[in-house]
Amino acid sequence: MSQQGGQDPAVAIDMAKQEMEYRVALFNAMVTSCYEKCIDKRYKDGELSVGENSCIDRCSSKYWQVTGIVGQMLGAQGGMQ
């Protein structure tokens, strides 16, 4: 196998697996957080209400926005060291 950029393919696969695990954990944390904030615990209908749908949309948007900001801040901190 050829190595791209001098990186060992096994290392690249391990890094991709870690990234995927991180993304899945992040997504699950967002789902849990937004569910707790937005979904009525007394199920009345099989579909989300307009209010619940709107709340989830805002919650998930803010969650990814904050995650991006934190990532940028951590990246900038890592670059300073």
Side-chain angles (χ1 to χ4, degrees), residues 11-54:
V11 172
I13 289 171
D14 284 342
M15 288 175 61
K17 285 180 181 178
Q18 286 179 339
E19 178 70 15
M20 184 58 106
E21 289 170 3
Y22 166 75
R23 298 250 177 206
V24 167
L26 192 63
F27 179 79
N28 287 337
M30 180 201 63
V31 168
T32 301
S33 177
C34 292
Y35 177 84
E36 291 297 319
K37 291 178 185 174
C38 298
I39 304 299
D40 187 3
K41 305 308 179 260
R42 296 167 288 132
Y43 295 110
K44 297 176 238 161
D45 197 358
E47 302 291 324
L48 294 175
S49 70
V50 173
E52 290 170 333
N53 202 15
S54 178

Side-chain angles (χ1 to χ4, degrees), residues 6-7 10-11 16 20 22-23 27 40 47 54-55 59-60 67-68 72-73 77-78 80:
Q7 187 176 23
V11 172
M20 184 58 106
Y22 166 75
R23 298 250 177 206
F27 179 79
D40 187 3
E47 302 291 324
S54 178
C55 179
C59 180
S60 60
T67 300
Q72 288 175 352
M73 291 174 73
Q77 261 186 347
M80 290 180 184

